[in-house]
Amino acid sequence: MKNYFSIKDIDALETWIDEAIALKKEPLANKMLGVDKTIGLLFFNPSLRTRLSTQKAAINLGMNVIVMNFTGEGWSLEYNDGVIMDQGNSEHVKEAAQVISQYCDVLAIRAFAQLKNKEDDYSEQVLQSFIKYATIPVINMESAAGHPLQALTDAITITEHTSVKKPKVVLSWAPHPKALPQAVANSFVEIMQIMDVDLVITHPEGFELADEITKETPIDHNQERAFENADFIYVKNWSSYSEYGKVGNDESWKITSAKMKKTNNAKLMHCLPVRRNVVLDDAVLDSKNAIVIEQANNRTYAAQLVLQKILESR
Ligand code: CP
């Protein structure tokens, strides 16, 4: 595998999940694989889980880790070609990506959607520019339109917690005071579509994800009806795709204990961070059905599996 940019880079999901669960049992099984190799982690946005779990994954494989926060520390980068660079940007990604490629063996990048222009965001200019100019593999640590490390984690977590042959998985929109990207929801839908689950998406009208993402997946605008018989509730806010970047904070969509009672004793998932008593009630997040902490733990094994596959193919 050259790059891990999207769910499409997973060639055999069931095998990958089995391998990740095996890694979780023996995380140091391949502790020599990455010796004398360096991963560079570039952050254009904040992170807790992605940063620490990817570092932990690299350490489990014996790698060295270099981290750079571009907001505040790095030169502001230009991505367009042929630009007269007499404004704010100090360095072109063409040089930056080639230079970093000399210091590192693998590069991982986080660059969120700006939520101003849909076409710009969905062109994935930052990640695609680094993929174009870097001479080393690139891993997506959440780009404008996708979060494939999170989605792989979610697939692992659902597999571990499934007690029925084909679980009903509900992706539920929930309110949030700020405009959030569609990235997590996009990748979650894409990975669930290739798993043996019964996926339903529920959100208020006007918060449809891109048709290219949802395809034939059922969408129910009645949240309580969607929750009926669900085995997993995956909670996530996203801003509007059609009215690009519009905030959605309808409190009636908050996840409550009463709504969870409609389910088949469903497990509650969220990628974190989550705002308590805005997105969901304390009682929901503190219930025994919430598996968000174990879900976050699985970030390490998803990242480790991806890194291992990249190292093995070099
Ligand atoms: N879920 C996730 O990506 O968390 P962070 O933003 O903290 O990395």
Side-chain angles (χ1 to χ4, degrees):
M1 185 171 62
K2 174 75 169 59
N3 302 308
Y4 185 66
F5 173 68
S6 78
I7 301 306
K8 294 182 183 68
D9 293 312
I10 301 174
D11 57 8
L13 180 60
E14 271 187 46
T15 308
W16 282 41
I17 291 170
D18 289 346
E19 289 171 350
I21 291 170
L23 275 180
K24 188 174 178 178
K25 291 190 182 111
E26 213 179 338
L28 300 180
N30 299 303
K31 66 182 181 188
M32 301 307 287
L33 184 65
V35 168
D36 296 334
K37 305 274 188 214
T38 299
I39 183 168
L41 309 183
L42 308 187
F43 286 91
F44 293 85
N45 305 97
S47 171
L48 187 159
R49 280 142 290 274
T50 305
R51 176 169 172 165
L52 297 183
S53 65
T54 309
Q55 280 194 257
K56 176 75 176 168
I59 292 165
N60 284 349
L61 292 168
M63 298 183 82
N64 300 308
V65 184
I66 299 174
V67 184
M68 184 159 183
N69 290 310
F70 262 78
T71 47
E73 290 177 15
W75 298 113
S76 178
L77 297 183
E78 176 63 54
Y79 294 94
N80 295 310
D81 289 331
V83 171
I84 299 169
M85 288 172 53
D86 60 356
Q87 298 296 311
N89 294 332
S90 309
E91 179 163 16
H92 201 282
V93 65
K94 194 169 183 175
E95 286 75 57
Q98 290 181 82
V99 168
I100 294 166
S101 298
Q102 297 176 104
Y103 306 149
C104 302
D105 301 280
V106 182
L107 187 55
I109 301 169
R110 164 164 283 198
F112 287 174
Q114 303 286 316
L115 296 176
K116 292 184 181 121
N117 181 298
K118 187 193 301 187
E119 285 70 35
D120 284 355
D121 282 345
Y122 275 69
S123 74
E124 297 280 23
Q125 189 177 44
V126 176
L127 263 286
Q128 290 299 353
S129 297
F130 274 98
I131 288 171
K132 181 175 175 186
Y133 294 119
T135 56
I136 56 176
V138 174
I139 296 173
N140 181 347
M141 294 197 296
E142 187 170 343
S143 62
H147 197 353
L149 284 177
Q150 180 66 53
L152 180 57
T153 301
D154 300 335
I156 295 163
T157 309
I158 286 174
T159 301
E160 287 182 317
H161 284 272
T162 297
S163 55
V164 295
K165 190 169 180 317
K166 187 170 183 169
K168 179 177 177 183
V169 177
V170 177
L171 170 61
S172 180
W173 186 95
H176 197 280
K178 291 173 70 178
L180 298 186
Q182 295 100 29
V184 169
N186 286 346
S187 292
F188 183 75
V189 170
E190 288 183 309
I191 207 159
M192 288 300 113
Q193 286 168 340
I194 53 171
M195 272 183 84
D196 192 18
V197 302
D198 175 14
L199 175 65
V200 175
I201 306 171
T202 182
H203 57 70
E205 292 194 33
F207 286 86
E208 289 73 18
L209 297 167
D211 289 343
E212 298 73 32
I213 299 290
T214 53
K215 300 191 177 97
E216 305 302 318
T217 300
I219 296 167
D220 193 338
H221 296 305
N222 183 322
Q223 189 186 36
E224 296 204 17
R225 184 172 59 208
F227 274 36
E228 286 170 11
N229 300 316
D231 298 296
F232 292 88
I233 301 294
Y234 193 100
V235 185
K236 187 72 187 85
N237 171 273
W238 59 88
S239 58
S240 176
Y241 180 75
S242 53
E243 285 184 70
Y244 196 62
K246 189 181 114 181
V247 175
N249 54 8
D250 181 347
E251 286 179 22
S252 70
W253 280 76
K254 184 171 67 168
I255 311 300
T256 64
S257 298
K259 289 177 186 174
M260 290 301 292
K261 284 201 174 78
K262 304 258 177 205
T263 70
N264 181 29
N265 198 26
K267 301 294 185 199
L268 185 285
M269 298 176 71
H270 189 287
C271 64
L272 304 180
V274 68
R275 290 176 184 244
R276 283 173 173 262
N277 303 308
V278 174
V279 174
L280 40 59
D281 281 341
D282 275 342
V284 174
L285 193 53
D286 293 333
S287 78
K288 65 178 177 29
N289 288 38
I291 55 172
V292 296
I293 304 301
E294 188 175 349
Q295 185 183 354
N297 184 37
N298 282 340
R299 290 295 308 270
T300 298
Y301 309 106
Q304 192 168 332
L305 182 72
V306 167
L307 264 177
Q308 195 170 300
K309 287 185 181 295
I310 285 174
L311 290 171
E312 283 169 349
S313 62
R314 276 174 71 78

